[in-house]
Amino acid sequence: MSGGERGRADDRPVRIGVQLQPQHATYDEIRRAVDAAEAAGVDVIFNWDHFFPLYGDPDGAHFECWTMLGAWAEQTERAEIGALVTCVGYRNPDLLADMARTVDHISGGRLVLGIGAGWFERDYDEYGYPFGTAGSRLTTLADALVRIEARWSALNPAPTRRIPVMVGGGGERKTLRLTARHADIWHGFGDADVIARKHRVLDEWCDAEEREPSAIERSAGVEGEPDDVGERLRALGTRLFTIGLGGPDYDLSRVSRWVAWRDRVNGG
């Protein structure tokens, strides 16, 4: 899964994502938020792959990730869509590859396959999946990435494009090495100092894997305002900035400011 054709990191345009957390909202409210996000001009609309809310009432309203992505593929017209991120522990990797290929076709080639090792133990326990250890979950992720690549090459019809793979997580010994080996996008969290360190480690793993570091788009979850947070992370090479929003209100006012900043720094 080479991302080299996506350009050198400093040459990439800034992009803005929004994560519409599928919690504490009716589906009508989520649907309206998707429409509003696309109308606001975001580049990517994400949900997340959990079975219960992560914030607020832990037993509040919540909806499943991939069923929703199939609906979003029909609903949206321009924005890319994806999960931030899919937990590989919930699904057979070959099935996940087929699910991603199908949503890719429904959307006309706008799916981003966000993927990670998983961490929220309640999801596993209540749905009957083995939680294992951090090490075993990373082993599952490593195996899954290889199997997904192989399944995509065997499917008929093939995906509409080389589906971009986004690996989420900042583990420096294993996750970032898997990112260097397989991913088109790396997604992380943290302040500028944390992100700078993760970028350095990822670059080192790219060298070890004989991968051009600029082949991997750098992505970060962000809070605050773009003229402060955005400028600092952009100087470090971050190009995809994602704002998380919870239901039921999904207030996009801050997202609109990030979109305006994107247009300004991109010269649009």
Side-chain angles (χ1 to χ4, degrees):
M1 301 174 190
S2 171
E5 62 271 28
R6 296 171 71 91
R8 293 193 60 83
D10 286 347
D11 294 337
R12 300 176 195 271
V14 165
R15 302 197 297 154
I16 301 299
V18 62
Q19 183 190 57
L20 301 177
Q21 300 158 358
Q23 59 177 4
H24 307 309
T26 66
Y27 193 72
D28 282 345
E29 289 166 330
I30 295 172
R31 182 189 295 110
R32 288 195 293 272
V34 171
D35 284 340
E38 187 160 60
V42 302
D43 299 286
V44 194
I45 306 173
F46 295 108
N47 58 12
W48 67 27
D49 191 17
H50 295 287
F51 303 138
F52 302 95
L54 297 185
Y55 313 117
D57 179 0
D59 295 313
H62 197 280
F63 290 97
E64 194 275 328
C65 165
W66 276 89
T67 312
M68 186 178 297
L69 289 177
W72 289 6
E74 287 280 7
Q75 178 183 352
T76 56
E77 296 181 355
R78 178 193 53 78
E80 290 187 312
I81 58 173
L84 188 59
V85 290
T86 301
C87 172
V88 294
Y90 307 154
R91 296 174 185 88
N92 173 284
D94 293 83
L95 173 59
L96 178 59
D98 204 343
M99 292 161 57
R101 182 279 308 255
T102 300
V103 174
D104 169 66
H105 275 265
I106 295 169
S107 68
R110 292 182 289 112
L111 178 76
V112 175
L113 179 59
I115 196 165
W119 61 273
F120 190 43
E121 189 169 1
R122 185 184 181 190
D123 288 333
Y124 292 79
D125 291 347
E126 295 215 22
Y127 276 64
Y129 295 101
F131 186 59
T133 65
S136 68
R137 292 192 298 277
L138 284 165
T139 298
T140 298
L141 175 61
D143 174 69
L145 288 163
V146 173
R147 289 174 60 181
I148 288 166
E149 290 177 334
R151 181 55 53 188
W152 278 341
S153 69
L155 287 170
N156 183 16
T160 67
R161 63 172 178 164
R162 180 176 295 172
I163 296 174
V165 171
M166 167 189 277
V167 170
E172 296 180 4
R173 290 188 302 109
K174 294 183 179 179
T175 302
L176 292 180
R177 184 167 196 173
L178 291 173
T179 300
R181 188 176 297 165
H182 296 282
D184 303 284
I185 309 168
W186 173 73
H187 183 82
F189 298 90
D191 62 20
D193 289 340
V194 171
I195 294 296
R197 174 175 172 78
K198 301 302 181 183
H199 283 189
R200 288 194 299 270
V201 174
L202 178 54
D203 290 347
E204 291 168 0
W205 280 124
C206 284
D207 289 342
E209 294 290 331
E210 298 184 342
R211 185 96 185 275
E212 176 59 48
S214 62
I216 300 172
E217 185 176 16
R218 311 303 167 98
S219 169
V222 292
E223 298 179 356
E225 296 300 324
D227 287 333
D228 179 19
V229 177
E231 288 294 346
R232 282 184 286 158
L233 294 181
R234 178 171 170 259
L236 297 173
T238 301
R239 290 296 180 268
L240 175 55
F241 301 81
T242 297
I243 301 98
L245 299 177
D249 297 331
Y250 297 110
D251 179 4
L252 272 77
S253 57
R254 184 161 54 95
V255 173
S256 296
R257 294 193 291 275
W258 279 87
V259 168
W261 172 77
R262 174 203 67 191
D263 293 344
R264 186 168 70 252
V265 299
N266 286 345

